Amino acid sequence: MTDEDYQRGATTLRGKLVPRTTTDQRLLDEHTDADWLHTDPWRVLRIQAEFVEGFGALAELGPAVAVFGSARLTSDSEHYARGVEVGRRLVEAGYAVITGGGPGAMEAANKGAREAGGTSVGLGIELPFETGLNRYVDLGVNFRYFFVRKTMFVKYSQGYVVLPGGFGTLDELFEAVTLAQTQKVTSFPLVLLGRDFWTPMLDFVRGTLLGEGMISERDVERLQVVDDPEEAVRLVVEARLP
């Protein structure tokens, strides 16, 4: 895989064939004519195929934990080092490691999982600024649609460990909190790794959201923040114990 590769589902594109828009964008953009009447029903078949392929690839994965974090972390970052350790410790605790398959924090967790001899999974997505799966992914599935990919993360993970990240990381985190809050998923540990990074956000959650009655104390308690990768994995393991 080169820096010029563009991954669209199972297809790799290069050079002039790299599209200017993503599949998600074309699905969600406002239409100016009735062409969608003729094309959107066919998209349903592609979406269905992505679900079938994802379910088929991951059905026998076994216990797994998803690790999220910024794609922009560099390999000399302390957060990257924590990601490697988290991946390793999850494998030692008997879990496969699932990430978004990209660089940065995702690469770190995949690296730790592979070096520990475990199953390192990457669920890639078609994006205009990220290309292909990192080299530490052993089992990779590429998706066109974010919502299909999100389903795979929730369905095949027994919990999330979340390293510092941006909008994408926050999106995955708060979607999981919402699913737990509404009891769409149960017994789903959410561990935030990096106290200095996450504390300001948790201060807002507790001081403003809880303070103004927008959420409950139980919702705040779903978010556990730690500094130590060993403790992060311990919390995940303990949440699965009967």
Side-chain angles (χ1 to χ4, degrees), residues 31-175:
H31 297 278
T32 57
D33 54 38
D35 181 62
W36 64 272
L37 289 171
H38 308 290
T39 59
D40 276 6
W42 292 103
R43 285 196 177 103
V44 173
L45 297 178
R46 177 179 287 170
I47 292 167
Q48 178 181 335
E50 286 211 337
F51 275 113
V52 170
E53 185 164 356
F55 291 157
L58 302 174
E60 299 180 355
L61 182 61
V65 172
V67 180
F68 295 97
S70 175
R72 304 185 186 192
L73 291 182
T74 59
S75 59
D76 59 352
S77 164
E78 64 174 326
H79 301 308
Y80 187 99
R82 285 173 173 169
V84 173
E85 186 176 353
V86 161
R88 175 177 62 81
R89 288 187 178 275
L90 284 170
V91 167
E92 291 171 350
Y95 293 98
V97 172
I98 307 176
T99 78
M106 295 172 281
E107 177 186 291
N110 286 133
K111 179 180 180 181
R114 176 188 275 188
E115 290 180 347
T119 302
S120 176
V121 180
L123 305 182
I125 185 69
E126 178 188 4
L127 291 175
F129 46 80
E130 287 182 25
T131 55
L133 299 172
N134 69 67
R135 65 185 184 276
Y136 300 106
V137 169
D138 297 317
L139 172 60
V141 185
N142 284 292
F143 297 93
R144 290 180 172 91
Y145 298 102
F146 262 116
F147 55 87
V148 179
R149 181 184 185 233
K150 285 172 175 287
T151 300
M152 301 302 153
F153 276 121
V154 174
K155 179 173 176 59
Y156 292 105
S157 300
Q158 267 97 60
Y160 288 176
V161 175
V162 189
L163 288 119
F167 288 143
T169 302
L170 294 174
D171 174 54
E172 298 288 359
L173 170 62
F174 281 106
E175 180 174 58

Side-chain angles (χ1 to χ4, degrees), residues 18-32:
V18 174
R20 295 185 178 182
T21 60
T22 67
T23 307
D24 263 332
Q25 181 182 346
R26 291 190 293 276
L27 172 66
L28 298 174
D29 269 353
E30 180 180 355
H31 297 278
T32 57

Side-chain angles (χ1 to χ4, degrees), residues 176-199:
V177 174
T178 303
L179 290 173
Q181 179 194 52
T182 55
Q183 298 182 23
K184 300 297 184 182
V185 296
T186 57
S187 185
F188 198 85
L190 297 164
V191 184
L192 310 182
L193 186 54
R195 196 177 299 276
D196 288 345
F197 182 88
W198 292 112
T199 293

